[in-house]
Amino acid sequence: MNPGFKSTLRFSARLLSRDWRAGELTVLVAALLIAVAAMTGVAFLTDRVGQAVEMRAAESLAADLRLASTRPISDDYVALGERAGLNTARIASMPSVVFAGEANTLAAIRAVSDGYPLRGQLKTSPRLLGEVTVSNGIPAPGEAWASPRLMARLGADTGSELEVGSARLKVSRILDFRPDEGWSFVDLAPTLLINQADLKNTELVQPGSRVAYRMLFAGDRGDVDSFKATIDEQLAEGERLSDIKDTNPQIRSSMERAGRFLNLASLVSVLLAAVAVAMAARRYSHRHRDRIALMKCMGASQSMVFQSSFIQLLMLAIEGGLIGVLLGYLAQLGLAWLMRDMIGQSLPSPGMAPGVLGLITALSILAGFALPDLAQMGRTPPLRVLRQDLDPPPLRYGISWLAGVAAVLALLLWIMRDARLVLTIFAGVTMTFLALGATGWLLVKSLRGFRGAAGVAWRYGLANIARRGRESVVQVVAFGLGLMVLLLLSTVRTELMDTWRQSLPDNAPNQFLINIQPHETGPMAAFFRERNLAAPRFVPLVRARMTTINGADVTQMTFEDPQGERWARRDSNLSWSASLQADNRIVEGQIWDENAQVDEVSVEQDFGRELGLSLGDEVGFDIAGEAVSATVSSFRTVEWDSFSPNFFMVFSPGVLEPYPATYITSLYVDESRRDVILDMMRQFPSVTAIDLDAVLGQVRDVMDKAALAVQAVFIFTLLAGLTVLWAAVAATRDERRYESAMLRTFGASKKRVLSGVATEFVAIGLLAGILAAGGATLAGYLLAENLFDLDYGFSPVLWLAGPLLGVVFVGLSGMAATWRVITNAPVSVLRTA
Amino acid sequence: MKRPDPNNSKHANDDPALKARNLSKHVSSPEGLLTILDQVSLEVSKGESIAIVGVSGAGKSTLLGLLAGLDVPSEGKVWLGDQELTALDEDGRAALRANSVGFVFQSFHLISSLTALENVMLPLELSGATNAHDAALQAIRTVGLEPRKGHYPHQLSGGEKQRVAIARAFVVGPSVLFADEPTGNLDNRTGENIVDLLFKMNAESGTTLVLVTHDLGLAARCDRILFMDTGRIDRESRGGEDRSPEQMNPAGGESTP
Ligand SMILES: Nc1ncnc2c1ncn2[C@@H]1O[C@H](COP(=O)(O)OP(=O)(O)OP(=O)(O)O)[C@@H](O)[C@H]1O
Ligand SMILES: [Mg+2]
């Protein structure tokens, strides 16, 4: 009679805890913990860092959500926002000439209400070039805060009175920084920040005056999201809602890259840990054939054996899952602490979702990679107690692993929601696996040729590898995979990270100059050269309005992407160039060659997608009343975070030249030489300089945060790689120990056995090391090129480090594992249980 | 059912503990179908001990496996008590084993991740017994290994391991105990001690014993000896050496000569 479920449960729990105590489960549990901790740690962390990054990004809106309109925004929105638990603030901005005595200049007046900015902080100083501090609050009524550029143009400083419309306001502070400075072409004039209460007195708001109204909202993410969803539908004509995703492409692009790095790290950790789990489970279940035969012999039914295995795995999954989640949570706490300075604000604590995720991870990895092996062991015939050679029918690894792989893949897709990344990495890992397997098999095969060549120990060792065939391939692949990860992490990771950071070097352009007239480019180049600054590259800019796509009127077209519609309705900035800019890359089509006769345009990829453009489409523009058109001949990606002037649409030479153009350029001016810019503005009064330091700072901050987080998460990957190595060593050990003991029993000398074993392990290590170097090189290249749009340099160090590491690590660990056997009397190993 | 006849109460042939009729086992080999067990029939009475002897490869283990229901015969039938083993499926046979069969093997088959005591507890736990610990402790005590109950198999000598295995076999109170070369991995003296223990416990619990060995001295201590050669039982003789007169097969015309 078989016992009831409850006692099976108790029995399984007891067996499990005894196995744990005897060290049978160590590798399996370690691998499981790493997988779960990596998954949850990253999920927790990306959640929090993502929030931090978003907050930082939100600063460039000064809010989480911004409603813009050309008409005064109804108070209803304030009520709606407050009901949704959000803070609100208002901005009204308009260009106006301001006077300081005789001097006058065009300024962007920003009248703000209390609470502005809802995100980020204003920085001010008591006078020009004075000490900059963070200001809470806004100018008091009757006062104004002026940007340094405005003061420079007016030749004024704090304390002076400005005439703004019909009001007189006293400049009380210099406004050095506002978080929503941005650098869109709209905000050309220097800022004058005033209190909303003064707006009426200025009498600037008249019928027909160009006032832009904004309402800002900020609050908890969930509240903001649901609020956004509700009001998105009620927007009136002329009202436009933007959130942080619509802001600076620079920040967005580095955020995306950071997210990809983080996901990559956790994904690879999980996949690697799954490999380790599979190996450990294989070893565990193989070691337990005897136990299962015995249990059956003692009367356990097939279903009881299966139940028991299943319960044990379930318990492992739950316990391992919970502990893994805890580890992930702790790791994340540590990381958040590491980044406390950069995060700045205290973050809302992470939600429970990653915890649930951890449990699901544990379950699916065990179900996918350990259950098939264990279930198969349940088929061990009881007669094995009498005939040791009776094994369960061989597992169809192909099929069972396919199920496991599918489970884990589905999980990853579900979590990361980035099909391209997951599938790329997954295909990469699978290919790596297959390639390693095939190469490993060839290498192992080729060892047969060596057999006759060397001494006895060599012959014995090498023959062993070839004889074990399949097992050897598995070991070579496992060691190769583990080493490859180590190599990737130690070299490629730093290279990738460096390349990433170098994409925004310290001397990245921090000044954008626009509105440069064609005749000014020469003198301006000379101006900078005189001051020992490199002459910048001038890029032409032509303002135009898009009129037609393939002959159809864009104002009548419907766009699938609402963003596309916005682009089509708005003035475009066009440029031309003879060749592709260094930070651009063609993804589809071809760039024109020098003497092409056709009128072509190269379109930025996302922009083109939003407009629904494809190669060969004809786009028409209205430039100063004349119709111009060109054929879309290529799509490009642009590194917006390079801070060079870049355009959505770049034309081939000869199309735009006849039309009035201005030039723009960007350059780096060190903090200590800011006076150069002031000089420049005096010499070229019509040129507008835009200070990018604020945006640059934001991007750098995002990068630094993300880089640190990514480095930390790679620790999990490292651990996962080490666990694979560990599992491989454990698998190797069982067999070699027994064999070496046998050899000793048959009278082989210590030296002989040792050199045989050494040869075997060194050879395996060498093979694995070569595979690892090849794999790491290829993987590094593919990662850099395909996922991160970075250029990757070939690294010869890998080819030295890989084989060396392999020989040393595998050789030593293998010998350490067999050392006891060789030195102790062989009986201790041969003694059966 | 017991006969009231006091003379025959011990080995009642018509109420056997174990019975096999025309057992054959064929296996396929490169040279074609191979008969490794050929029309074997036998009967073992309750409480009786029999030895199966023969040269290596004679088919002893094969027969044992069939009698214990670990394997199915190509032809023939096996009864354990009044249950026909060969009519049951694998799980049915397992359930029957759980309640009435114990095993001792040549290579001990202790579980290396369990202590001596836990190894003895295993069959009890498998059947969901509640007093597994106490019963196992009692059994460990009986084989004289209480001081080593917390040791793992690799910390025990071969003889000690086999004592643990014996405790494990008896702890469920089996009606039939199968032993395949229980002394095969042990030196002579240890082997003898083990055999003494086996017979002592067998006598105390009144278990039916089926012992496979090629040690004729050991075989001689059983009530009956079956000689096997190339898959057949070709001879049978009476053992009973080293036993007190009462334990020797009492005179009774029904016993085999
Ligand atoms: N599944 C099988 N396939 C092929 N041959 C088998 C199989 N099972 C048993 N045999 C053969 O049947 C014969 C009897 O085997 P068995 O193990 O019963 O012998 P034994 O009497 O127990 O020998 P030993 O004393 O060496 O244990 C042997 O020749 C063995 O090789
Ligand atoms: Mg045998």
Side-chain angles (χ1 to χ4, degrees), chain A residues 14 21 296 831-833, chain B residues 110 118 125 152 156 161:
Chain A
R14 244 173 287 159
R21 190 192 52 197
K296 284 190 170 177
R831 261 159 60 164
T832 47
Chain B
L110 299 185
E118 286 162 357
E125 291 175 333
Y152 286 97
L156 299 173
K161 276 189 259 203

Side-chain angles (χ1 to χ4, degrees), chain A residues 43-115:
Chain A
F44 277 130
L45 192 75
T46 33
D47 198 43
R48 298 186 80 183
V49 170
Q51 287 182 48
V53 169
E54 276 184 13
M55 276 184 174
R56 206 72 179 78
E59 292 177 6
S60 61
L61 269 188
D64 293 333
L65 207 58
R66 186 178 67 189
L67 181 66
S69 175
T70 48
R71 277 167 296 182
I73 296 172
S74 144
D75 276 338
D76 294 351
Y77 284 114
V78 180
L80 271 175
E82 276 167 3
R83 209 176 311 145
L86 306 181
N87 295 326
T88 59
R90 284 172 179 278
I91 307 173
S93 56
M94 71 230 69
S96 174
V97 176
V98 297
F99 292 82
E102 297 293 286
N104 66 77
T105 187
L106 186 70
I109 316 292
R110 284 172 85 82
V112 298
S113 68
D114 273 332

Side-chain angles (χ1 to χ4, degrees), chain B residues 155-176:
Chain B
Q155 297 166 311
L156 299 173
S157 73
E160 285 159 350
K161 276 189 259 203
Q162 199 59 302
R163 269 149 66 189
V164 174
I166 290 172
R168 180 180 65 185
F170 278 103
V171 77
V172 288
S175 54
V176 184

Side-chain angles (χ1 to χ4, degrees), chain A residues 16 26 140 188 191 256 261 277 331 489 493 527 595 629 708 753 783 786 800 831:
Chain A
L16 192 67
T26 322
L188 298 187
T191 308
E256 278 169 6
F261 264 123
V277 164
L489 286 181
R493 175 196 47 122
F527 171 90
N595 31 23
S629 71
L708 198 67
V753 175
L783 283 178
N786 288 342
L800 208 70
R831 261 159 60 164

Side-chain angles (χ1 to χ4, degrees), chain A residues 387, chain B residues 27 36 55-62 181 214:
Chain A
R387 295 183 56 89
Chain B
V27 295
I36 56 176
V55 294
S56 184
K60 307 182 293 288
S61 297
T62 306
E181 312 261 17
H214 21 220

Side-chain angles (χ1 to χ4, degrees), chain A residues 755-769:
Chain A
S755 48
V757 168
T759 308
E760 197 175 341
F761 281 109
V762 165
I764 286 189
L766 191 67
L767 297 185

Side-chain angles (χ1 to χ4, degrees), chain A residues 77 83 164 175 219 391 407 533 576 642 783:
Chain A
Y77 284 114
R83 209 176 311 145
V164 185
L175 177 64
D391 278 330
L533 289 169
W576 74 83
S642 74
L783 283 178

